[in-house]
């Protein structure tokens, strides 16, 4: 894997040296917005309806018989059929009315784990792990096409995994702390009561001098230690890349820093604004964001209505803005959660963990208007043809690894570099 | 010793077929004695060596082992042990809701509350290691350390006229089991309700035995439709796909039923705001065992001996660790210690922390050998740490490809904060006191916080979303370090710490830069060294632009505090 990493870091560096104002060779490479729903959504509420209740207690259980509008129903948008409820989840209906033709729903994605960190690692990186994880899809795609951009991937959520690509990526911080680092006007450290404010902070000239000094010292250290491609050499490579990217970010960070409010945990709405600004401002190639909601409804499954409503309301806005900015064709939006919920409800009216999930692919490279993959009566993944997404008893189960490899392929990244031997999921490519 | 072992492992794994294949491997190069001094000091204490320690090693290149022995008894090593266990137990999660600063805690800041509860299990580990007691006591100890706040939260024995930290113990009848008796461990990892302590069981197995049960493959065929507890219990017991994990998890979880559910903060808030005079719960919404005033009002009671055998009522398996039966959580601690994986897993975690590698990636043979050394030393962590930091792997400057764990380290945010404070006396503190009412955080250490600060952005773990550190330079780490260093430099020059910010005489400037290089980077203090020329150019440039020598000194000090050798000891 190390050769891949060096190649990625090296090509990015070359682009940076050519100037941050031009995107260079990465122009035309598909961007990625990865939207992560943390905690495990209930796929039966929208993506994977199981009407009838024989095996799956879906959203129909929550219907209020006194409310004539509170009706769960299947609705087809072209060839895309999902579960809707005009009273509880109107935004989902509105979303599919507008964007079904740009959206592919993927059901029957086998995760094979029911612990949150374990399942999260699998769906986001395509590999098994919980410790120091490898890079997730957003970081791989970001680093691969970051030439000419300050940053490969920006994580607005804190859930991402940068792995070996950390020098190409940044994170916002749980309360938007990055904003304070990029804006000298934000006072991090008020002096004790009554004393004057800070007298000195490095200005742009100081920061440029510091970076130049650090880069020169790094090369001197490399020569003195004689480092090559060992761990020490990698650390020094990373230091050079991180220094140059932090400088480039400072030069371009105003594209989104005005949207960052240090001290506030960003909602999905805030994150959508920032994601659009970051991509439109050519600050980065990919964005990792989350829904700002905890979908882990062990006690009250009915909360999923509200969560899906928020999700689709913001997705509707985001996809609309991408369209308005003429960015939808070259931006892939992946929406995913680490697992779904058990078919039936527990004694507290909640649902527990189930090792399968669904996803949505929206926009660039997606043949929309269809549902791909399928599940049995208990929401379990069934074999499909990985190229067509159609049921195929002799086919393969769509695994987290195949799905991840397929997403990378859609983003012009050779999945074999990161997921060796994994057959990519090619269904739904436009 | 570590390097010899790795060579042996490589030979063992190279196969026997064919003749030798000539490989032109790069030569391994070791750190100088001074460089090794610096790396070991940062790893063990989180600070760089003092001038006196530097002089000792300059005078006697073999002085390091004796210095390490001294460091291993220092409070700074205790902080390192707390940092290590915080990363392991994920208890320093300040972005999670804190216990409300209401009722008995009225007037306290959330930072004080967080510090008291999150450090509780860490102080026990620190105490055991610093006093060189067998590390097995982290699972058997019948004591803990409490401050006034923790004593109020849990009703612990505490002398109000005594020292800030006092030896104390749990008074709710819970068995003595070291970290397994920790309220904070089970407050942070609130795996209860319908989860029946399974998450906690997996935490225990993965943390102390390096067996992440939840990673086992799951393939459920013909899943049963289960809703009620007894149906779930039967499915777990009879469905082979469920059994792969649950037959290991359930018996461990059965040890933990004495731990009561942790109720959401909003519930505590509402009761505490009402002075807890009339506590009435909707029991239907509460997990089993909850619904008492002591669940929501201080002092909290997080353990109830009467609940220990609830597993029996629910038809869950008898408590056991991989088939070895027990009764109470103290038995679980003893069973873990008896499991040969405990020593190897512990050694793996210490080695991984010190060499900055993924614990899961440590060679099993190496972990096993280090574990045996740990056993042979009477479970002395000090001995283990000494062994690692004096090893060839640790003192490698340039690797030869045979040892992926060798080479430059990356300063952790906690280490950087201690280094900056040791050098400049500066602490990166912000006060959150205006307009926040009962939700004020008070004094927040920006280097160690994720609510307001930059710990995760600097490569640290936030204990909840970023559960493992990043051991390399990143743009956000450099931005945060530069800001931290600049503020420290501002403070140091204004307060006359470390340097005189008024010096302008050329010769004196060179001498002071040389002295700073020696103090900050443990480099030569030669005023005519080329490295001094580079810093002098920075100084001149800043003075020319700002017209103030203090600005020049601040820039020089910032450069030194963000030097590659500071970032990568």
């Amino acid at each position: 894997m190390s050769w891949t990493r060096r190649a990625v870091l090296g090509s990015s560096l070359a682009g940076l040296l050519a100037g941050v104002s031009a995107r260079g060779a990465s122009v035309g490479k598909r961007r990625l917005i990865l939207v992560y729903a943390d905690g495990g959504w209930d796929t039966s509420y929208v993506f994977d309806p199981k009407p009838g209740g024989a095996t799956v207690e879906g959203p129909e259980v929550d219907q209020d018989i006194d409310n004539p509008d509170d009706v769960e129903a299947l609705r087809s948008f072209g060839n895309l059929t999902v579960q809707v409820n005009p009273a509880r989840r109107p935004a989902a209906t509105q979303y599919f009315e507008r964007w079904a033709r740009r959206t592919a729903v993927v059901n029957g994605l086998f995760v094979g784990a029911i612990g949150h960190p374990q399942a999260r690692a699998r769906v986001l990186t395509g590999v098994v792990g919980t410790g120091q994880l490898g890079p997730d899809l957003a970081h791989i795609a970001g680093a691969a096409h970051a030439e000419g951009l300050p940053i490969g991937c920006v994580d607005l959520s804190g859930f991402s995994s940068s792995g070996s690509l950390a020098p190409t990526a940044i994170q916002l911080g749980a309360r938007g702390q990055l904003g304070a680092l990029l804006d000298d006007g934000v006072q991090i450290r008020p002096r004790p009561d009554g004393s004057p404010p800070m007298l000195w902070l490095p200005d742009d000239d100081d920061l440029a001098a510091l970076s130049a000094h650090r880069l020169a010292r790094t090369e001197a250290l490399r020569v003195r230690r004689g480092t090559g491609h060992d761990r020490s050499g990698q650390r020094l490579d990373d230091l050079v890349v991180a220094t140059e990217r932090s400088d480039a970010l400072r030069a371009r960070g105003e594209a989104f820093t005005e949207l960052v409010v240090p001290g506030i945990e960003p909602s999905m709405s805030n994150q959508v604004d920032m994601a659009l600004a970051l991509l439109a401002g050519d600050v980065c190639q990919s964005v990792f964001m989350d829904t700002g909601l905890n979908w882990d409804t062990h006690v009250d499954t009915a909360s999923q209505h509200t969560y899906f409503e928020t999700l689709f309301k913001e997705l509707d806005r985001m996809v609309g803005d991408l369209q308005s900015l003429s960015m939808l064709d070259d931006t892939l939006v992946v929406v995913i959660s680490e697992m779904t919920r058990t078919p039936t409800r527990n004694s507290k009216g909640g649902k527990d963990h189930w090792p399968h999930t669904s996803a949505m692919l929206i926009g660039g490279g997606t043949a929309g208007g269809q549902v791909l993959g399928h599940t049995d009566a208990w929401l379990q993944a069934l074999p499909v043809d990985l190229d067509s997404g159609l049921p195929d008893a002799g086919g393969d189960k769509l695994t987290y690894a195949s799905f991840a490899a397929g997403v990378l392929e859609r983003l012009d990244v050779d999945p074999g570099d990161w997921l060796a031997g994994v057959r990519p999921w090619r269904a739904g490519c436009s | 010793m570590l390097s010899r072992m790795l060579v042996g492992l490589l030979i063992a794994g190279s196969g026997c077929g064919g003749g030798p294949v000539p490989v032109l491997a790069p030569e391994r190069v070791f750190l100088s004695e001074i460089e090794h001094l610096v790396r070991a000091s940062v790893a063990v204490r989180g600070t760089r060596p003092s001038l006196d320690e530097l002089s000792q090693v300059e005078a006697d290149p073999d002085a390091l082992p004796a210095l390490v022995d001294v460091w291993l008894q220092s409070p700074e090593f205790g902080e390192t042990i707390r940092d290590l266990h915080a990363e392991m137990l994920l208890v320093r999660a300040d972005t999670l809701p804190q216990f409300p600063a209401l009722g008995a805690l009225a007037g306290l800041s959330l930072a004080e509350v967080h510090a008291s509860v999150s450090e509780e299990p860490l102080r026990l580990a620190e105490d055991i290691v610093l006093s060189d007691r067998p590390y097995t006591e982290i699972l058997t100890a019948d004591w803990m350390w409490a401050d006034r706040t923790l004593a109020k939260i849990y009703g612990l024995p505490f002398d109000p006229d005594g020292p800030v930290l006092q030896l104390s113990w749990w008074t709710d009848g819970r068995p003595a089991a070291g970290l397994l008796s920790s309220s904070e461990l089970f407050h942070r990892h609130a795996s209860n309700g319908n989860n029946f302590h399974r998450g906690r069981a997996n935490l225990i197995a993965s943390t102390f035995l390096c067996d992440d049960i939840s990673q086992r493959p799951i393939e459920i065929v013909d899943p049963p439709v289960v809703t009620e507890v007894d149906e779930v219990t039967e499915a777990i017991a009879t469905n082979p796909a469920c059994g792969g994990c649950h037959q290991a998890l359930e018996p461990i979880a059965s040890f933990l039923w004495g731990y009561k559910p942790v109720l959401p903060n909003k519930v505590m808030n509402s009761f505490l705001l009402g002075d807890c005079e009339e506590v009435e719960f909707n029991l239907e919404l509460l997990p089993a065992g909850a619904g008492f005033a002591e669940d929501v009002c201080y002092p909290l009671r997080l353990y109830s001996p009467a609940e220990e055998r609830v597993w029996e009522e629910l038809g869950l398996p008898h408590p056991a660790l991989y088939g070895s039966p027990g009764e109470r959580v103290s038995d679980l601690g003893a069973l873990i210690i008896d499991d040969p994986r405990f020593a190897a897993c512990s050694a793996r975690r210490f080695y991984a922390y010190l060499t900055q590698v993924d614990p899961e990636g440590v060679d099993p043979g190496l972990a096993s050998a280090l574990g045996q050394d740990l056993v042979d030393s009477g479970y002395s962590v000090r001995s283990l740490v000494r062994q690692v930091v004096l090893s060839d792997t640790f003192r490698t400057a340039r690797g030869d490809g045979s040892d992926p764990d060798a080479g430059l380290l990356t300063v952790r945010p906690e280490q950087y904060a201690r280094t900056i404070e040791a050098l400049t006396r500066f602490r990166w503190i912000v006060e959150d006191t205006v307009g926040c009412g009962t939700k004020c955080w008070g004094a927040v250490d920006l280097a160690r916080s994720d609510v307001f600060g930059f710990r995760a952005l600097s490569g640290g773990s936030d204990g909840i979303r970023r559960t493992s550190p990043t051991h390399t330079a990143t743009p956000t780490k450099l931005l945060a370090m530069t800001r931290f260093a600049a503020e420290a430099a501002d403070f140091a020059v204004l307060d006359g710490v470390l340097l005189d910010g008024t010096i302008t005489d050329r010769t004196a400037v060179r001498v002071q830069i040389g002295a700073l290089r020696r103090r900050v980077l443990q480099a030569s203090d030669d005023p005519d060294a080329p490295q001094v020329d580079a810093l002098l150019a920075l100084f001149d440039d800043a003075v020319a632009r700002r017209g103030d020598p203090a600005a020049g000194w601040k820039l020089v000090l910032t450069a030194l505090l963000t030097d590659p050798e500071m970032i990568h000891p």
Side-chain angles (χ1 to χ4, degrees):
Chain A
M1 194 71 72
S2 60
W3 68 269
T4 301
R5 179 176 168 279
R6 277 196 295 277
V8 166
L9 295 177
S11 67
S12 305
L13 187 58
L16 272 178
L17 293 174
V20 295
S21 61
R23 292 201 60 188
S26 68
V27 168
K29 300 295 184 185
R30 202 164 278 144
R31 302 174 176 94
L32 172 67
I33 299 176
L34 198 158
V35 183
Y36 172 59
D38 179 53
W41 56 20
D42 189 333
T43 58
S44 70
Y45 273 61
V46 176
F47 310 121
D48 199 359
K50 300 292 179 190
T55 53
V56 174
E57 291 176 334
E60 70 281 354
V61 174
D62 308 321
Q63 287 177 114
D64 177 0
I65 56 172
D66 295 328
N67 181 354
D69 295 328
D70 187 1
V71 178
E72 292 290 338
L74 297 184
R75 181 167 165 190
S76 295
F77 303 85
N79 292 325
L80 194 157
T81 301
V82 291
Q83 182 96 15
V84 297
N85 181 324
R88 290 179 182 262
R89 304 184 304 279
T93 303
Q94 179 175 320
Y95 172 85
F96 286 109
E97 284 173 345
R98 294 183 68 194
W99 305 113
R101 64 189 174 79
R102 304 303 307 267
T103 302
V105 169
V106 182
N107 288 328
L109 206 169
F110 178 68
V111 181
I114 55 171
H116 292 293
Q118 293 83 4
R120 183 192 309 153
R122 293 179 189 200
V123 299
L124 297 179
T125 69
V127 298
V128 173
T130 48
Q132 292 172 18
L133 301 175
D136 58 37
L137 300 176
H139 282 85
I140 294 172
H145 304 310
E147 188 169 338
L149 300 174
I151 296 298
C153 175
V154 176
D155 175 16
L156 302 175
S157 74
F159 284 111
S160 77
S161 172
S162 54
S164 58
L165 301 175
T168 67
I170 60 169
Q171 45 183 316
L172 179 67
R175 302 286 188 277
Q177 287 93 327
L178 179 62
L181 293 177
L182 292 176
D183 185 350
D184 293 341
V186 176
Q187 191 77 21
I188 297 176
R189 180 173 64 100
R191 290 274 170 156
D193 290 345
S195 67
M198 187 187 309
L199 299 176
W200 184 81
L201 267 182
D203 60 20
D204 288 345
D205 291 333
D206 292 325
L207 291 168
L210 286 170
S211 290
H213 180 76
R214 187 188 303 138
L215 290 172
R217 289 276 298 146
T218 302
E219 293 314 312
L221 185 59
R222 195 193 300 274
V223 170
R224 178 154 62 88
R225 296 272 175 88
T227 52
H229 296 312
D230 64 337
R231 186 168 92 161
S232 294
Q234 288 179 7
R235 293 286 174 274
L236 296 181
D237 289 347
D238 289 352
L239 182 55
V240 170
V241 171
T243 298
E244 295 183 338
R245 291 201 177 279
S246 64
D247 290 348
L249 177 66
R250 285 189 62 88
R252 299 279 288 285
E254 69 276 10
F256 84 108
T257 49
E258 62 186 31
L259 299 171
V260 181
V261 183
I264 304 293
E265 184 174 7
S267 64
M268 184 174 175
S269 179
N270 299 144
Q271 292 182 62
V272 166
D273 292 339
M274 284 189 272
L276 293 168
L278 285 162
L279 293 179
D282 279 346
V283 176
C284 62
Q285 179 71 14
S286 66
V287 176
F288 188 117
M289 57 180 283
D290 77 311
T291 63
L293 304 166
N294 181 359
W295 296 72
D296 195 18
T297 51
H298 286 283
V299 172
D300 181 16
T301 293
S303 300
Q304 298 266 337
H305 292 290
T306 315
Y307 298 164
F308 275 113
E309 179 67 5
T310 300
L311 171 66
F312 280 104
K313 180 181 168 194
E314 294 303 333
L315 283 178
D316 184 27
R317 185 168 71 86
M318 181 168 77
V319 177
D321 285 348
L322 284 170
Q323 174 91 315
S324 300
L325 293 164
S326 301
M327 291 169 58
L328 186 55
D329 288 340
D330 67 356
T331 304
L332 174 64
V333 180
V334 176
V335 190
I336 197 164
S337 185
E338 75 268 39
M339 64 180 85
T340 184
R341 319 299 302 182
T342 45
T344 53
R345 301 185 184 212
N346 60 35
S347 56
K348 300 294 180 190
K351 287 184 170 185
D352 303 316
H353 300 173
W354 203 236
H356 308 263
T357 192
S358 296
M360 284 196 297
L361 301 174
I362 306 162
T366 303
Q370 56 181 331
V371 177
L372 303 164
H374 73 142
T375 60
D376 66 11
W378 294 280
L379 290 169
Q380 298 190 111
L382 288 174
V384 292
D385 180 328
L386 291 180
D387 291 328
S388 70
L390 297 174
D392 179 359
D396 297 303
K397 198 174 286 186
L398 171 57
T399 65
Y400 53 90
S402 281
F403 180 78
V407 169
L408 290 179
E409 221 171 46
R410 286 162 168 81
L411 297 166
D412 305 310
V413 177
D414 181 354
D417 289 349
W418 300 93
L419 299 164
V422 174
R423 188 176 163 204
W425 158 260
R426 294 197 169 113
C429 287
S430 63
Chain B
M1 179 268 171
L2 299 184
S3 287
R4 282 201 303 276
M5 176 173 300
L6 282 165
V7 170
L9 290 166
L10 286 168
I11 291 170
S14 63
C16 305
V21 178
V23 177
L24 295 176
E27 186 183 352
R28 176 183 288 228
V29 174
F30 293 111
L31 298 171
S32 70
E33 286 79 6
I34 297 299
E35 290 166 337
H36 189 188
L37 167 78
V38 172
R39 184 177 290 178
S41 178
V42 173
V44 172
R45 301 187 298 180
T47 59
R48 298 173 78 90
S50 68
L51 290 174
D52 180 56
E53 290 163 340
L54 185 58
S55 299
Q56 286 184 56
V57 173
E58 285 172 339
D60 175 9
D62 295 327
L64 179 58
L67 284 172
V68 170
D69 287 337
V70 173
W71 298 343
L72 290 173
Q73 300 174 57
S74 68
E76 291 80 10
F77 177 56
E79 286 195 60
T80 297
I81 293 299
R82 296 214 309 268
D83 293 345
L84 184 154
H85 285 82
E87 199 171 295
M88 193 166 108
L89 303 173
L90 303 176
V91 290
R92 285 179 179 161
D94 63 348
T95 57
L96 292 176
Q98 305 301 314
F99 282 132
L102 298 167
L105 303 189
L108 291 172
S109 69
L110 293 181
E112 291 172 305
V113 174
H114 172 69
S116 290
V117 298
S118 65
E119 297 301 299
E120 172 250 302
L122 310 181
R123 286 195 186 105
L124 176 66
E126 175 188 30
D127 184 24
I128 289 167
V129 171
L130 266 191
S131 54
D132 211 18
R133 302 173 75 96
Y135 189 62
T136 50
E137 292 191 9
I138 64 161
L139 297 176
T140 63
D142 61 359
W143 77 92
M144 42 87 71
W145 289 92
D147 62 12
R148 185 186 305 267
T149 303
L150 195 72
K152 285 180 180 175
I153 292 173
Y154 293 115
L156 303 172
F158 189 85
D159 176 3
D161 299 321
V164 172
L165 278 176
Q166 298 179 20
L167 209 57
S168 190
W169 59 95
W170 304 103
T171 57
D172 49 17
R174 72 183 69 181
L179 294 177
L180 300 182
S181 301
S182 162
S183 282
E184 178 53 14
L185 187 65
F186 297 116
H187 169 232
R188 162 65 184 87
H189 299 280
S191 162
N192 46 26
N194 275 60
N195 187 262
F196 288 174
H197 307 282
R198 293 171 192 130
R200 289 169 167 173
N202 192 57
L203 172 83
I204 290 167
S206 60
T207 300
F208 299 112
L209 297 172
C210 294
D211 180 14
D212 187 349
I213 296 169
S214 63
Q215 289 285 23
R216 296 181 185 180
I218 299 172
E219 191 80 33
I220 302 172
V221 180
D222 296 333
V225 178
V226 291
T227 302
E228 298 305 320
V229 169
D230 55 346
E231 294 171 334
V232 175
T233 305
E234 183 180 345
I236 287 167
T238 58
N239 189 306
C242 301
C245 293
H246 283 279
Q247 287 179 13
L249 274 180
E250 299 295 326
I252 301 173
S254 290
F255 281 110
L256 306 173
W257 279 93
Y259 286 101
K260 291 163 62 65
V262 178
L263 297 185
N265 267 51
K266 60 184 179 185
V267 178
M268 288 187 69
N269 257 306
S270 62
F271 284 112
L272 287 166
L273 284 169
D275 291 331
C276 291
E277 288 180 354
E278 294 182 23
V279 176
E280 292 183 12
F281 296 94
N282 181 350
L283 292 175
E284 287 186 3
L285 294 177
L286 293 181
F292 301 92
E294 58 265 33
D295 295 333
V296 289
C297 300
Y298 305 121
L300 300 171
R301 189 185 61 171
L302 203 64
Y303 196 90
S304 169
E307 308 284 336
E308 285 179 8
R309 297 186 72 86
V310 167
W311 57 267
E312 207 167 28
E313 298 167 21
L314 295 171
L316 294 164
H318 191 283
L321 180 72
Y322 303 111
S324 299
E327 295 294 333
R328 308 185 77 196
V329 73
S330 48
D331 298 330
L332 176 60
L335 288 168
I336 291 173
I337 292 166
D338 284 344
D339 190 315
R341 287 174 294 183
F342 172 69
C345 182
S346 301
R348 174 189 295 267
R349 293 198 179 282
F350 280 97
Y351 174 84
Y353 185 88
L354 293 165
T355 59
Q356 296 187 345
V357 297
D358 183 357
E360 294 181 13
V362 175
D363 181 274
L366 174 61
S368 179
L370 289 171
Q372 187 57 51
D373 291 342
L374 183 63
V375 173
D376 294 344
S377 70
Y379 282 94
S380 168
V381 166
R382 282 172 22 183
S383 172
L384 176 66
V385 171
R386 186 181 196 278
Q387 181 184 358
V388 172
V389 301
L390 296 177
S391 69
D392 284 353
T393 293
F394 191 82
R395 69 184 185 97
T396 294
R398 184 187 72 199
D400 60 6
S402 67
D403 186 350
D405 303 347
L408 286 174
L409 301 181
T410 303
V411 69
R412 296 167 184 270
E414 297 86 355
Q415 294 169 335
Y416 193 57
R418 292 211 285 280
T419 296
I420 292 277
E421 184 176 0
L423 289 170
T424 67
R425 301 205 299 258
F426 177 76
R427 297 185 66 205
W428 209 13
I429 303 291
V430 65
E431 289 284 341
D432 172 48
T433 55
V434 180
C436 40
T438 60
K439 296 181 178 175
C440 291
W441 269 87
V444 178
D445 185 337
L446 295 179
R448 296 176 173 92
S449 164
D450 292 298
V451 175
F452 299 98
F454 304 96
R455 178 173 52 188
L457 270 64
S458 303
S461 164
D462 64 13
I464 183 77
R465 294 187 181 185
R466 299 260 165 192
T467 53
S468 59
T470 301
H471 296 309
T472 199
T474 69
T476 45
K477 183 181 184 79
L478 296 180
L479 287 169
M481 286 183 74
T482 302
R483 187 70 176 256
F484 189 0
E487 295 204 31
D490 181 53
F491 175 88
V493 171
L494 287 177
D495 287 26
V497 182
L498 204 62
L499 77 168
D500 180 348
T502 64
I503 289 178
T504 55
D505 172 77
R506 300 300 288 173
T507 302
V509 167
R510 280 187 168 277
V511 169
Q512 180 154 283
I513 290 176
L516 281 172
R517 291 189 69 243
R518 181 170 173 79
R519 180 66 194 96
V520 176
L521 298 179
Q522 293 70 51
S524 159
D525 60 2
D526 177 3
D528 297 319
Q531 294 89 342
V532 172
D533 293 342
L535 289 165
L536 185 61
L538 276 183
F539 176 83
D540 288 342
D541 178 53
V543 173
R545 284 187 288 106
R546 302 222 190 197
D548 177 10
W553 286 115
K554 291 170 187 174
L555 190 60
V556 166
L557 185 51
T558 303
L560 286 166
L561 294 174
T562 55
D563 189 272
E565 293 191 52
M566 177 67 73
I567 298 167
H568 293 302

